[in-house]
Amino acid sequence: MPPIRVTRTYLEITSPGDLRPAAIPRPEPRIEQVEDCSASFFRYLYAEVGRDFQWTDRLDWSDETIRGHLATAGVSIWLLSWRGGPAGYFELREHEDRSVEIAYFGLLPEFIGRGWGKYLLTQAVEAAWKTGTHRVWLHTCTLDHPAALPNYLKRGFRPVREEVYEVSG
């Protein structure tokens, strides 16, 4: 198959007041930080959320690599759950410049289409601001869910850079 052309867009929010929060869904799913996240649960969330969007860079991480990543200062995992089961997650990562990246973000396939992505993004941005950061940023690409970029823009993120690359088809 021919290569697939992908556009990656970097976006940021530089003030808490720029966030345009989504409404709280009713009934409200639960969001909480996962303390002492196990390697198997981390792998499950990453694989299931990213399954349809070609998330592959972490699939071959060993348990040791995952544990090392999760022990990194400034890395946190947050779980969206519904009726006791996982529904989505986000990962925050603080960088040396004190900016906070929403490194991974998404819903498990069966929870897409409920409007929960808007709420989860709002909660991710609010959690990032609570770290005392000066900038919250993320990136998305044309392989991600088609609602991802519009959601980021509607929540107040501004595009700051684009790059184009190819992946094997």
Side-chain angles (χ1 to χ4, degrees):
M1 291 184 68
I4 299 169
R5 184 179 167 102
V6 179
T7 301
R8 179 181 293 143
T9 304
Y10 291 83
L11 303 104
E12 70 179 9
I13 289 183
T14 55
S15 169
D18 291 341
L19 174 63
R20 292 190 298 270
I24 298 171
R26 297 288 179 222
E28 183 178 357
R30 182 177 176 161
I31 297 177
E32 62 187 322
Q33 186 173 351
V34 180
E35 302 291 339
D36 299 317
C37 184
S38 69
S40 60
F41 191 56
F42 175 89
R43 188 177 287 111
Y44 166 79
L45 290 172
Y46 177 83
E48 290 304 307
V49 170
R51 178 177 12 150
D52 295 333
F53 308 109
Q54 296 190 20
W55 290 11
T56 59
D57 58 318
R58 294 178 169 186
L59 290 177
D60 61 355
W61 280 16
S62 68
D63 286 358
E64 182 179 333
T65 299
I66 291 171
R67 284 191 293 272
H69 174 71
L70 294 173
T72 303
V75 170
S76 61
I77 304 297
W78 297 74
L79 178 68
L80 173 77
S81 60
W82 177 246
R83 296 185 177 163
Y89 85 109
F90 62 87
E91 176 183 322
L92 298 182
R93 180 173 173 222
E94 187 176 326
H95 290 267
E96 288 183 13
D97 67 354
R98 301 269 308 130
S99 68
V100 174
E101 176 187 8
I102 301 173
Y104 286 88
F105 169 88
L107 301 171
L108 275 75
E110 57 270 28
F111 296 97
I112 293 173
R114 299 182 185 200
W116 289 2
K118 301 170 193 175
Y119 174 66
L120 184 61
L121 181 59
T122 297
Q123 296 301 306
V125 173
E126 289 178 352
W129 283 116
K130 288 179 183 173
T131 69
T133 189
H134 60 92
R135 175 177 171 249
V136 179
W137 64 280
L138 52 76
H139 60 80
T140 189
C141 74
T142 49
L143 297 174
D144 287 337
H145 192 280
L149 182 58
N151 184 23
Y152 301 143
L153 296 171
K154 287 177 184 174
R155 301 288 76 76
F157 280 87
R158 292 178 307 280
V160 293
R161 180 170 54 113
E162 267 190 6
E163 60 190 23
V164 177
Y165 60 96
E166 292 184 346
V167 297
S168 56

